[in-house]
mmCIF file of all heavy atoms in Angstrom:
data_model
loop_
_atom_site.group_PDB
_atom_site.id
_atom_site.type_symbol
_atom_site.label_atom_id
_atom_site.label_comp_id
_atom_site.label_asym_id
_atom_site.label_seq_id
_atom_site.Cartn_x
_atom_site.Cartn_y
_atom_site.Cartn_z
ATOM 1 N N PHE A 1 94.690 17.678 286.696
ATOM 2 C CA PHE A 1 95.842 17.050 286.038
ATOM 3 C C PHE A 1 95.304 16.221 284.882
ATOM 4 O O PHE A 1 94.712 15.174 285.081
ATOM 5 C CB PHE A 1 96.612 16.188 287.039
ATOM 6 C CG PHE A 1 97.819 15.480 286.459
ATOM 7 C CD1 PHE A 1 98.399 15.881 285.260
ATOM 8 C CD2 PHE A 1 98.383 14.395 287.105
ATOM 9 C CE1 PHE A 1 99.503 15.242 284.728
ATOM 10 C CE2 PHE A 1 99.494 13.740 286.597
ATOM 11 C CZ PHE A 1 100.051 14.165 285.409
ATOM 12 N N GLU A 2 95.510 16.706 283.671
ATOM 13 C CA GLU A 2 94.997 16.044 282.476
ATOM 14 C C GLU A 2 95.965 14.970 281.967
ATOM 15 O O GLU A 2 97.173 15.128 282.043
ATOM 16 C CB GLU A 2 94.744 17.059 281.368
ATOM 17 C CG GLU A 2 93.384 17.728 281.429
ATOM 18 C CD GLU A 2 92.252 16.810 280.999
ATOM 19 O OE1 GLU A 2 92.516 15.676 280.557
ATOM 20 O OE2 GLU A 2 91.093 17.255 281.102
ATOM 21 N N GLU A 3 95.373 13.887 281.435
ATOM 22 C CA GLU A 3 96.103 12.791 280.795
ATOM 23 C C GLU A 3 97.167 12.219 281.732
ATOM 24 O O GLU A 3 98.323 12.034 281.354
ATOM 25 C CB GLU A 3 96.722 13.266 279.472
ATOM 26 C CG GLU A 3 95.664 13.689 278.451
ATOM 27 C CD GLU A 3 96.263 14.048 277.095
ATOM 28 O OE1 GLU A 3 97.427 13.709 276.858
ATOM 29 O OE2 GLU A 3 95.543 14.660 276.285
ATOM 30 N N PHE A 4 96.748 11.922 282.959
ATOM 31 C CA PHE A 4 97.703 11.362 283.910
ATOM 32 C C PHE A 4 98.052 9.916 283.556
ATOM 33 O O PHE A 4 99.090 9.404 283.986
ATOM 34 C CB PHE A 4 97.173 11.469 285.346
ATOM 35 C CG PHE A 4 96.259 10.349 285.777
ATOM 36 C CD1 PHE A 4 96.769 9.248 286.457
ATOM 37 C CD2 PHE A 4 94.897 10.398 285.525
ATOM 38 C CE1 PHE A 4 95.942 8.211 286.862
ATOM 39 C CE2 PHE A 4 94.055 9.375 285.930
ATOM 40 C CZ PHE A 4 94.587 8.273 286.606
ATOM 41 N N LEU A 5 97.198 9.255 282.782
ATOM 42 C CA LEU A 5 97.518 7.918 282.295
ATOM 43 C C LEU A 5 98.208 8.030 280.940
ATOM 44 O O LEU A 5 97.711 8.693 280.033
ATOM 45 C CB LEU A 5 96.247 7.074 282.148
ATOM 46 C CG LEU A 5 95.575 6.599 283.428
ATOM 47 C CD1 LEU A 5 94.271 5.890 283.110
ATOM 48 C CD2 LEU A 5 96.495 5.671 284.208
ATOM 49 N N THR A 6 99.355 7.385 280.801
ATOM 50 C CA THR A 6 100.103 7.430 279.556
ATOM 51 C C THR A 6 100.916 6.150 279.451
ATOM 52 O O THR A 6 100.816 5.269 280.300
ATOM 53 C CB THR A 6 101.020 8.681 279.526
ATOM 54 O OG1 THR A 6 101.703 8.739 278.283
ATOM 55 C CG2 THR A 6 102.030 8.652 280.655
ATOM 56 N N ASP A 7 101.712 6.046 278.411
ATOM 57 C CA ASP A 7 102.609 4.893 278.300
ATOM 58 C C ASP A 7 104.061 5.286 278.515
ATOM 59 O O ASP A 7 104.965 4.488 278.320
ATOM 60 C CB ASP A 7 102.446 4.208 276.938
ATOM 61 C CG ASP A 7 102.558 5.187 275.781
ATOM 62 O OD1 ASP A 7 102.926 6.358 276.020
ATOM 63 O OD2 ASP A 7 102.280 4.787 274.640
ATOM 64 N N MET A 8 104.291 6.542 278.947
ATOM 65 C CA MET A 8 105.651 6.997 279.222
ATOM 66 C C MET A 8 105.600 8.059 280.328
ATOM 67 O O MET A 8 105.121 9.172 280.111
ATOM 68 C CB MET A 8 106.293 7.587 277.964
ATOM 69 C CG MET A 8 107.758 7.941 278.146
ATOM 70 S SD MET A 8 108.781 6.507 278.527
ATOM 71 C CE MET A 8 108.693 5.616 276.954
ATOM 72 N N TYR A 9 106.077 7.703 281.521
ATOM 73 C CA TYR A 9 106.021 8.592 282.674
ATOM 74 C C TYR A 9 107.374 9.245 282.930
ATOM 75 O O TYR A 9 108.421 8.753 282.503
ATOM 76 C CB TYR A 9 105.564 7.821 283.913
ATOM 77 C CG TYR A 9 104.146 7.328 283.814
ATOM 78 C CD1 TYR A 9 103.869 6.066 283.272
ATOM 79 C CD2 TYR A 9 103.077 8.116 284.220
ATOM 80 C CE1 TYR A 9 102.559 5.615 283.157
ATOM 81 C CE2 TYR A 9 101.775 7.671 284.101
ATOM 82 C CZ TYR A 9 101.514 6.424 283.567
ATOM 83 O OH TYR A 9 100.227 5.977 283.447
ATOM 84 N N LEU A 10 107.340 10.355 283.663
ATOM 85 C CA LEU A 10 108.561 11.050 284.042
ATOM 86 C C LEU A 10 109.263 10.306 285.171
ATOM 87 O O LEU A 10 108.609 9.621 285.968
ATOM 88 C CB LEU A 10 108.235 12.467 284.524
ATOM 89 C CG LEU A 10 107.544 13.413 283.552
ATOM 90 C CD1 LEU A 10 107.150 14.695 284.277
ATOM 91 C CD2 LEU A 10 108.449 13.735 282.378
ATOM 92 N N PRO A 11 110.570 10.444 285.278
ATOM 93 C CA PRO A 11 111.244 9.924 286.476
ATOM 94 C C PRO A 11 110.703 10.630 287.716
ATOM 95 O O PRO A 11 110.533 11.852 287.715
ATOM 96 C CB PRO A 11 112.722 10.272 286.229
ATOM 97 C CG PRO A 11 112.842 10.488 284.756
ATOM 98 C CD PRO A 11 111.518 11.031 284.313
ATOM 99 N N ARG A 12 110.397 9.874 288.748
ATOM 100 C CA ARG A 12 109.892 10.416 290.018
ATOM 101 C C ARG A 12 108.644 11.281 289.805
ATOM 102 O O ARG A 12 108.433 12.300 290.476
ATOM 103 C CB ARG A 12 110.986 11.224 290.714
ATOM 104 C CG ARG A 12 112.265 10.434 290.945
ATOM 105 C CD ARG A 12 113.369 11.262 291.539
ATOM 106 N NE ARG A 12 113.077 11.611 292.929
ATOM 107 C CZ ARG A 12 113.921 12.283 293.707
ATOM 108 N NH1 ARG A 12 115.096 12.674 293.222
ATOM 109 N NH2 ARG A 12 113.596 12.568 294.944
ATOM 110 N N GLU A 13 107.792 10.868 288.885
ATOM 111 C CA GLU A 13 106.620 11.679 288.543
ATOM 112 C C GLU A 13 105.660 11.847 289.708
ATOM 113 O O GLU A 13 105.147 12.949 289.964
ATOM 114 C CB GLU A 13 105.879 11.071 287.348
ATOM 115 C CG GLU A 13 104.606 11.829 287.007
ATOM 116 C CD GLU A 13 103.996 11.438 285.688
ATOM 117 O OE1 GLU A 13 104.736 11.207 284.715
ATOM 118 O OE2 GLU A 13 102.756 11.368 285.626
ATOM 119 N N VAL A 14 105.374 10.761 290.418
ATOM 120 C CA VAL A 14 104.423 10.842 291.536
ATOM 121 C C VAL A 14 104.936 11.818 292.590
ATOM 122 O O VAL A 14 104.170 12.627 293.136
ATOM 123 C CB VAL A 14 104.198 9.448 292.152
ATOM 124 C CG1 VAL A 14 103.217 9.541 293.314
ATOM 125 C CG2 VAL A 14 103.670 8.473 291.103
ATOM 126 N N GLU A 15 106.216 11.758 292.852
ATOM 127 C CA GLU A 15 106.825 12.671 293.828
ATOM 128 C C GLU A 15 106.695 14.122 293.372
ATOM 129 O O GLU A 15 106.444 15.028 294.185
ATOM 130 C CB GLU A 15 108.295 12.313 294.021
ATOM 131 C CG GLU A 15 109.010 13.137 295.075
ATOM 132 C CD GLU A 15 110.449 12.723 295.258
ATOM 133 O OE1 GLU A 15 110.745 11.512 295.090
ATOM 134 O OE2 GLU A 15 111.284 13.584 295.570
ATOM 135 N N ASN A 16 106.849 14.368 292.074
ATOM 136 C CA ASN A 16 106.720 15.727 291.544
ATOM 137 C C ASN A 16 105.299 16.256 291.708
ATOM 138 O O ASN A 16 105.099 17.427 292.065
ATOM 139 C CB ASN A 16 107.118 15.764 290.073
ATOM 140 C CG ASN A 16 108.617 15.656 289.868
ATOM 141 O OD1 ASN A 16 109.383 15.679 290.814
ATOM 142 N ND2 ASN A 16 109.036 15.505 288.626
ATOM 143 N N LEU A 17 104.306 15.417 291.427
ATOM 144 C CA LEU A 17 102.930 15.854 291.599
ATOM 145 C C LEU A 17 102.646 16.144 293.066
ATOM 146 O O LEU A 17 102.029 17.170 293.404
ATOM 147 C CB LEU A 17 101.956 14.785 291.081
ATOM 148 C CG LEU A 17 100.472 15.115 291.304
ATOM 149 C CD1 LEU A 17 100.069 16.356 290.513
ATOM 150 C CD2 LEU A 17 99.586 13.944 290.926
ATOM 151 N N GLU A 18 103.081 15.260 293.951
ATOM 152 C CA GLU A 18 102.850 15.465 295.377
ATOM 153 C C GLU A 18 103.542 16.736 295.863
ATOM 154 O O GLU A 18 103.033 17.432 296.752
ATOM 155 C CB GLU A 18 103.337 14.256 296.163
ATOM 156 C CG GLU A 18 102.488 13.004 295.941
ATOM 157 C CD GLU A 18 103.021 11.794 296.675
ATOM 158 O OE1 GLU A 18 104.123 11.893 297.258
ATOM 159 O OE2 GLU A 18 102.348 10.741 296.674
ATOM 160 N N SER A 19 104.693 17.072 295.267
ATOM 161 C CA SER A 19 105.395 18.297 295.634
ATOM 162 C C SER A 19 104.581 19.536 295.266
ATOM 163 O O SER A 19 104.465 20.483 296.055
ATOM 164 C CB SER A 19 106.759 18.340 294.941
ATOM 165 O OG SER A 19 107.423 19.574 295.186
ATOM 166 N N ILE A 20 103.983 19.516 294.069
ATOM 167 C CA ILE A 20 103.155 20.652 293.643
ATOM 168 C C ILE A 20 101.916 20.768 294.524
ATOM 169 O O ILE A 20 101.533 21.869 294.950
ATOM 170 C CB ILE A 20 102.764 20.497 292.161
ATOM 171 C CG1 ILE A 20 104.007 20.662 291.270
ATOM 172 C CG2 ILE A 20 101.696 21.524 291.771
ATOM 173 C CD1 ILE A 20 103.750 20.426 289.799
ATOM 174 N N VAL A 21 101.293 19.640 294.820
ATOM 175 C CA VAL A 21 100.103 19.660 295.677
ATOM 176 C C VAL A 21 100.443 20.219 297.054
ATOM 177 O O VAL A 21 99.721 21.057 297.602
ATOM 178 C CB VAL A 21 99.496 18.247 295.800
ATOM 179 C CG1 VAL A 21 98.354 18.246 296.819
ATOM 180 C CG2 VAL A 21 98.983 17.763 294.448
ATOM 181 N N SER A 22 101.553 19.772 297.631
ATOM 182 C CA SER A 22 101.928 20.236 298.968
ATOM 183 C C SER A 22 102.308 21.711 298.959
ATOM 184 O O SER A 22 102.101 22.421 299.949
ATOM 185 C CB SER A 22 103.077 19.396 299.518
ATOM 186 O OG SER A 22 104.248 19.562 298.742
ATOM 187 N N THR A 23 102.871 22.207 297.845
ATOM 188 C CA THR A 23 103.195 23.631 297.732
ATOM 189 C C THR A 23 101.930 24.469 297.751
ATOM 190 O O THR A 23 101.866 25.522 298.407
ATOM 191 C CB THR A 23 103.977 23.907 296.429
ATOM 192 O OG1 THR A 23 105.243 23.248 296.494
ATOM 193 C CG2 THR A 23 104.201 25.391 296.218
ATOM 194 N N ILE A 24 100.906 24.007 297.045
ATOM 195 C CA ILE A 24 99.638 24.739 296.981
ATOM 196 C C ILE A 24 98.868 24.599 298.289
ATOM 197 O O ILE A 24 98.312 25.566 298.812
ATOM 198 C CB ILE A 24 98.792 24.226 295.796
ATOM 199 C CG1 ILE A 24 99.505 24.543 294.475
ATOM 200 C CG2 ILE A 24 97.399 24.844 295.811
ATOM 201 C CD1 ILE A 24 98.859 23.906 293.269
ATOM 202 N N ALA A 25 98.854 23.385 298.829
ATOM 203 C CA ALA A 25 98.081 23.111 300.054
ATOM 204 C C ALA A 25 98.999 23.131 301.265
ATOM 205 O O ALA A 25 99.191 22.110 301.931
ATOM 206 C CB ALA A 25 97.378 21.759 299.922
ATOM 207 N N ARG A 26 99.556 24.291 301.561
ATOM 208 C CA ARG A 26 100.500 24.363 302.680
ATOM 209 C C ARG A 26 99.808 24.147 304.019
ATOM 210 O O ARG A 26 100.321 23.447 304.893
ATOM 211 C CB ARG A 26 101.222 25.710 302.672
ATOM 212 C CG ARG A 26 102.154 25.888 301.476
ATOM 213 C CD ARG A 26 102.933 27.188 301.573
ATOM 214 N NE ARG A 26 103.755 27.400 300.385
ATOM 215 C CZ ARG A 26 104.967 26.907 300.212
ATOM 216 N NH1 ARG A 26 105.512 26.149 301.141
ATOM 217 N NH2 ARG A 26 105.643 27.172 299.105
#
């Protein structure tokens, strides 16, 4: 995950990343 540090994040961004990780790591 590139450039995870920024000055403008997505709504519920952490949840979205965790969702992708859990999809891959079933």
Side-chain angles (χ1 to χ4, degrees):
F1 179 18
E2 274 286 355
E3 297 185 15
F4 85 95
L5 288 175
T6 182
D7 51 9
M8 186 62 68
Y9 294 90
L10 300 173
R12 304 176 70 177
E13 176 169 321
V14 180
E15 184 178 328
N16 286 353
L17 176 64
E18 291 177 353
S19 175
I20 291 176
V21 174
S22 64
T23 295
I24 295 172
R26 293 185 184 275

